[in-house]
Amino acid sequence: MTSTLSSNCAWAKAIAQPTCEFPLTPLPVLSGALPEKLAGTFYSNGPGRLKRGQQRVGHWFDGDGSVLAVHIAPSGAHATHRYVQTEGYQAEEAENRFLYSNYGMTPPGLLWERWGKPVKNSANTSVLALPDRVLALWEGGNPHALDLNHLETIGKDDLGGALTKNLAYSAHPKRDPKTGAIYNFSVTPGLNSTLNLFQSDRTGTVQRQTTLPLQGLPLIHDFVLAGRYLMLCIPPVQVQLLPVGLGLQSFCDAMKWEPQRGTEIIVVDRKTLNEVCRRKVNPWYQWHFSNGYEADDGTIVIDIIRYADFKTNQYLREVATGQTHTQAEGTFWRLRIQPQTGHVLSEDELLSQSCEFPVIPPDNVGQHTDVVFLNVHRPTVSADDDELFGAIARFEPETQTLTIADVGSRRYASEPMIATHPDDPTQEWLLTVVFDGNTDSSELWIYDAERLDEAPLCRLGLPEIIPHRFHGTWKAAY
C-alpha cells in the first residue's frame, strides 16, 4: 500500500495526512456568537492517523484514535486535540511503521511470525464522559482514560476492576437519564463466543455484570436501551476465527455475510441482566440504533439505521483509500417487537433517504422521543455519488418530517451532537465538526436544534484539520 491518496474528492483531503495535535487553544468566532446559556465540553473521537511511512491502513476503522475537546463558556471557547497514547500507538510511533494486526490489517512479518500477534487497541470509536475522566472507547479492548481538560492519556481503565484479562467494553454505552446508570456490552471471541453485559453507576464503576452464550463469532456494534429492557439485534455476519488467529486474514476479510442465519433478537431484563428471550427473524444489518422505548401496549419500539446486507463494510474500507465505489445505503426503520417472545410485529421504513449516525436528546434515551438527528447527503447529492455526508438533519418520525442543514458545497459534517441546558431541557443546540474542502480547514458549527433550516448560531475556527469523526458526547458544565 502507498502513502498517497489517488482521489479528487474534497472529503479525502481530511484524511490524506495524519492529523496534528494541538494544546488548549482559544478559538476564534468566525460568524455569529456563542449562545449565552451554552456551557460545557464537546468531545469527539475518530481515526486521526491512517498512514505510517509508506503504508496506509487497510480499513477506515484501523486509524489511531484522536480525541477533540471543545470547552465552551460564556467567556469564549477553547479546544485541544490529542492522539490516545495506547501502547500500540506509542510502539508504532517509535518505529514509524505498522506493527500490529487490526480490523482490516494482518500483522507484518513471515507467516510463522504472525501467529498469536495481538490486535492493536485503536481507541478510535467513541467517548464516554464521566465525572473525573473521559473514556476513549474501542469495542475490541479496554477503554483508555483521558484527562477531562487537556486530554492527556491516563492509561487503560478497568472500570473498578471489572474488565479483567483485557475484557472489552463496547463503543456505544447507554446512560439512563433518570438514574445515571450506564449499560454496555462486549463480545469475548471463541468458536462459540460470549456476550458480556455491564451495568455501571454514574462514575463508570461496574456494579453488575453477566454473560450470555452466542453462536460463533458475530459482529455486534451497538445495542439499544428500551424502557425495562436491553435489546441486541445480531446480524448474520460471522468471523472465521481460524484464519484470523493464524494471521492469514484480517477480521474484515474473515467476515462472512450469511443471510440464511437470519438476524437474532436478544431481549434482556435490564434490572437483572437476565435473558428474557431470543428469536431469529429475517436478515438485515445495522451499525447503529437511534433509540428504543416501551409503548403503552407493552411492546418495544426500536429505531435503527438498517442495511439490506453487509456491503457497508466494503464501502467503509474504501473510505480509507479516498474514493468509494460500493453502494451501501442505510435507511431509517422502526420495528415493533413483543418483548416476551422477540416476535417482530411490524417493521416500517420511515425515511428512505440514505442516513447514518442517529442521535437523540440524552434525556430521552430509553423513552419515547419526538426527534432524532442524523447525517444525510446534501439535497443536490445522490447516494450514488462518491461523496460523504455533507449535511445534518432533524427527523421527526411520527410525522416523517425532515429538516436539513446543508453545510455547503465541498463541506462535510460529522455526527451531530446535542447539548442541552440542565435547567431548561427544551433549550437544545446541535454541534458538529465541519471539514471545509474549499479552504482545507475544520470548524465547529453550533445550531439551534429546532431551526436547522437557518444559518448556524456560531462558527468556531479550529487550528488544525480534524478528520471525519465517528462519535462524540456533550458534558454540561453545570
Side-chain angles (χ1 to χ4, degrees):
M1 293 180 287
T2 65
S3 62
T4 59
L5 289 180
S6 56
S7 175
N8 295 319
C9 300
W11 60 263
K13 295 190 288 184
I15 59 171
Q17 299 297 327
T19 186
C20 296
E21 298 179 309
F22 55 85
L24 200 59
T25 304
L27 302 183
V29 175
L30 303 180
S31 69
L34 286 169
E36 292 184 4
K37 295 183 179 180
L38 181 62
T41 301
F42 168 85
Y43 296 100
S44 72
N45 195 355
R49 174 181 281 276
L50 299 180
K51 76 166 191 174
R52 283 198 178 275
Q54 298 303 307
Q55 281 192 309
R56 292 193 68 82
V57 296
H59 195 287
W60 196 15
F61 293 173
D62 295 333
D64 291 296
S66 67
V67 177
L68 171 71
V70 182
H71 306 293
I72 299 175
S75 58
H78 294 72
T80 184
H81 181 226
R82 303 278 191 186
Y83 283 105
V84 184
Q85 297 292 312
T86 68
E87 293 177 1
Y89 175 86
Q90 291 177 330
E92 292 182 340
E93 186 78 354
E95 297 198 25
N96 195 30
R97 65 186 181 97
F98 292 124
L99 301 173
Y100 300 90
S101 62
N102 212 315
Y103 181 88
M105 302 170 68
T106 56
L110 299 173
L111 179 60
W112 56 86
E113 297 174 321
R114 300 180 189 178
W115 298 346
K117 281 285 187 72
V119 177
K120 183 176 68 173
N121 185 327
S122 297
N124 67 3
T125 311
S126 190
V127 282
L128 174 62
L130 299 172
D132 60 348
R133 65 202 189 280
V134 60
L135 301 183
L137 303 177
W138 181 74
E139 60 205 37
N142 280 178
H144 282 75
L146 311 178
D147 172 78
L148 283 168
N149 296 315
H150 297 277
L151 300 182
E152 288 104 343
T153 301
I154 300 167
K156 286 185 178 180
D157 198 307
D158 63 7
L159 303 185
L163 303 185
T164 57
K165 297 182 180 178
N166 205 35
L167 192 64
Y169 190 76
S170 184
H172 286 286
K174 311 298 179 188
R175 195 192 308 256
D176 185 328
K178 295 182 178 179
T179 67
I182 302 168
Y183 298 88
N184 206 351
F185 77 97
S186 70
V187 174
T188 300
L191 295 179
N192 283 299
S193 303
T194 300
L195 176 68
N196 310 295
L197 298 171
F198 308 100
Q199 178 186 334
S200 305
D201 63 18
R202 59 182 296 273
T203 72
T205 301
V206 174
Q207 297 180 313
R208 185 192 304 271
Q209 63 188 105
T210 192
T211 60
L212 297 175
L214 294 171
Q215 292 183 354
L217 178 51
L219 176 61
I220 313 174
H221 182 68
D222 194 7
F223 75 115
V224 69
L225 169 61
R228 293 173 294 169
Y229 303 98
L230 307 177
M231 292 195 58
L232 298 101
C233 297
I234 302 175
V237 174
Q238 285 285 316
V239 181
Q240 312 304 307
L241 198 55
L242 183 59
V244 174
L246 294 176
L248 299 174
Q249 287 185 314
S250 68
F251 281 93
C252 178
D253 289 331
M255 290 177 180
K256 306 301 179 185
W257 173 250
E258 300 178 354
Q260 70 278 5
R261 287 178 173 265
T263 288
E264 185 174 43
I265 294 174
I266 300 180
V267 182
V268 174
D269 182 319
R270 76 178 178 108
K271 183 177 181 179
T272 63
L273 299 186
N274 291 332
E275 180 180 317
V276 176
C277 70
R278 62 175 73 194
R279 173 185 285 270
K280 292 285 186 73
V281 298
N282 291 332
W284 73 79
Y285 186 77
Q286 85 283 323
W287 291 111
H288 301 120
F289 293 89
S290 167
N291 191 36
Y293 63 92
E294 283 186 83
D296 292 340
D297 61 2
T299 60
I300 296 174
V301 176
I302 62 171
D303 294 337
I304 63 174
I305 307 300
R306 178 164 151 171
Y307 297 82
D309 51 37
F310 196 47
K311 291 178 184 176
T312 172
N313 190 53
Q314 176 61 25
Y315 169 82
L316 295 170
R317 185 208 293 260
E318 293 167 1
V319 168
T321 72
Q323 49 190 336
T324 61
H325 309 284
T326 301
Q327 300 304 315
E329 283 193 56
T331 56
F332 190 97
W333 286 71
R334 171 163 289 179
L335 279 64
R336 189 176 296 271
I337 297 170
Q338 166 54 249
Q340 300 305 319
T341 65
H343 182 65
V344 177
L345 304 175
S346 63
E347 44 189 328
D348 301 293
E349 185 182 48
L350 300 187
L351 180 63
S352 60
Q353 182 168 338
S354 180
C355 56
E356 252 298 355
F357 299 109
V359 297
I360 64 162
D363 286 344
N364 296 137
V365 171
Q367 307 165 50
H368 179 267
T369 184
D370 295 324
V371 62
V372 57
F373 298 94
L374 305 151
N375 277 114
V376 296
H377 289 291
R378 300 179 60 223
T380 58
V381 172
S382 165
D384 296 335
D385 296 334
D386 186 6
E387 283 282 13
L388 295 191
F389 292 121
I392 56 176
R394 175 189 176 98
F395 181 56
E396 299 170 45
E398 307 297 338
T399 61
Q400 299 184 36
T401 301
L402 184 71
T403 306
I404 296 178
D406 183 348
V407 301
S409 176
R410 296 169 62 88
R411 290 180 178 146
Y412 306 91
S414 290
E415 177 194 57
M417 187 51 53
I418 302 166
T420 58
H421 192 285
D423 298 328
D424 183 9
T426 63
Q427 178 63 70
E428 295 175 346
W429 299 276
L430 207 62
L431 292 76
T432 182
V433 176
V434 175
F435 170 69
D436 190 338
N438 303 293
T439 59
D440 292 350
S441 63
S442 292
E443 303 173 8
L444 183 72
W445 289 24
I446 304 171
Y447 286 89
D448 183 322
E450 294 187 351
R451 295 177 174 84
L452 292 192
D453 51 352
E454 299 179 3
L457 299 173
C458 184
R459 291 170 46 223
L460 298 170
L462 294 165
E464 299 286 350
I465 291 175
I466 305 298
H468 312 295
R469 307 279 79 190
F470 284 157
H471 301 292
T473 192
W474 170 259
K475 180 177 172 60
Y478 301 96

